[in-house]
C-alpha cells in the first residue's frame, strides 16, 4: 500500500471510532470526491457515505443562516412598510382629487338654494315655490274636528 492509502485507512479507522476532527473528515470527503473510481473496493461504502455527507453539507450551506433569515425578514418588512406608505399616500391623493372635482363641479354648476319638485318637474323660482308651499299648507290644514282629515286629501 502506498502512503496515501495508509493515511486514508488510518483516518477511516479513526472516523469509525468517532475520533476524527472536522478537518480530518473534510480530508476524507475531499479524498473520496477526487478519487471517486480509483479507490479500493472495500471502501465503496465509505465513498457513498462521504459523498452523501458532502451533498448534505452543500445543501445546508444553501440554507440561509439565522442572521440572513432575520435580515430577509427585515427587508420584507421594510418593503411592506414602504409599500403601505406609498399606498396610503396614493389613497390620500385620490381622495383629495375627488373632493376637488366635486367642489369644482359645485362652483361651476351651483344648485339653486330654493327649489321644489312638483309632479316630477323642478321649479327654481323662489316666489312660485313659496306660493305653491302656502297653497299646499292651506289644502292640508284641518278645519274639521278630525285632525286626520288631511290624510284623506292625500289619497286623492
Amino acid at each position: 500500500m502506498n502512503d496515501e492509502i495508509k493515511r486514508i485507512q488510518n483516518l477511516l479507522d479513526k472516523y469509525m471510532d468517532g475520533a476524527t476532527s472536522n478537518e480530518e473528515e473534510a480530508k476524507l470527503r475531499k479524498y473520496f470526491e477526487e478519487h471517486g473510481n480509483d479507490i479500493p473496493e472495500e471502501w465503496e461504502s465509505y465513498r457513498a457515505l462521504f459523498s452523501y455527507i458532502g451533498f448534505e453539507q452543500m445543501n445546508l450551506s444553501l440554507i440561509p443562516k439565522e442572521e440572513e433569515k432575520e435580515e430577509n425578514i427585515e427587508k420584507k418588512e421594510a418593503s411592506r412598510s414602504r409599500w403601505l406608505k406609498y399606498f396610503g399616500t396614493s389613497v390620500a391623493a385620490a381622495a383629495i382629487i375627488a373632493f376637488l372635482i366635486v367642489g369644482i363641479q359645485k362652483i361651476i354648476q351651483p344648485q339653486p338654494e330654493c327649489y321644489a319638485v312638483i309632479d316630477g318637474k323642478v321649479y327654481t323660482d323662489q316666489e312660485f315655490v313659496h306660493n305653491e308651499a302656502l297653497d299646499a299648507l292651506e289644502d292640508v290644514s284641518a278645519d274639521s274636528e278630525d285632525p286626520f282629515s288631511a290624510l284623506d286629501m292625500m289619497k286623492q
Side-chain angles (χ1 to χ4, degrees):
M1 278 206 243
N2 65 20
D3 290 337
E4 185 178 26
I5 290 179
K6 286 180 184 177
R7 185 177 56 86
I8 295 300
Q9 183 62 54
N10 288 337
L11 283 176
L12 286 173
D13 293 338
K14 195 173 174 183
Y15 178 81
M16 295 309 289
D17 291 336
T20 52
S21 66
N22 289 337
E23 292 171 357
E24 291 170 328
E25 290 176 15
K27 287 178 185 176
L28 286 171
R29 278 192 302 279
K30 185 176 179 183
Y31 174 81
F32 284 106
E33 184 179 311
E34 290 175 353
H35 297 86
N37 295 328
D38 298 332
I39 58 171
E41 190 175 324
E42 64 267 12
W43 289 357
E44 284 296 322
S45 59
Y46 292 119
R47 182 175 67 109
L49 172 71
F50 285 106
S51 294
Y52 176 77
I53 291 172
F55 177 75
E56 285 301 312
Q57 283 189 334
M58 182 183 69
N59 285 341
L60 286 176
S61 68
L62 296 177
I63 297 174
K65 296 177 183 168
E66 285 301 316
E67 300 95 29
E68 291 173 357
K69 285 181 184 179
E70 290 174 8
E71 186 177 303
N72 287 340
I73 290 170
E74 289 172 4
K75 285 180 182 177
K76 285 180 183 178
E77 288 175 357
S79 175
R80 185 178 301 130
S81 174
R82 192 175 321 117
W83 182 85
L84 287 174
K85 194 181 305 179
Y86 290 136
F87 180 74
T89 304
S90 299
V91 169
I96 289 171
I97 290 170
F99 284 125
L100 286 175
I101 290 172
V102 170
I104 290 171
Q105 280 184 337
K106 287 195 180 254
I107 291 170
I108 293 173
Q109 298 174 344
Q111 295 292 324
E113 291 183 25
C114 181
Y115 68 93
V117 179
I118 302 170
D119 294 329
K121 293 182 182 176
V122 177
Y123 296 94
T124 58
D125 181 21
Q126 275 187 329
E127 190 175 326
F128 178 76
V129 171
H130 183 71
N131 289 334
E132 287 295 314
L134 288 176
D135 288 344
L137 286 174
E138 284 179 19
D139 286 344
V140 294
S141 64
D143 293 334
S144 66
E145 294 178 19
D146 183 16
F148 296 103
S149 62
L151 294 176
D152 292 332
M153 291 175 63
M154 295 170 118
K155 290 180 185 178
Q156 298 172 354

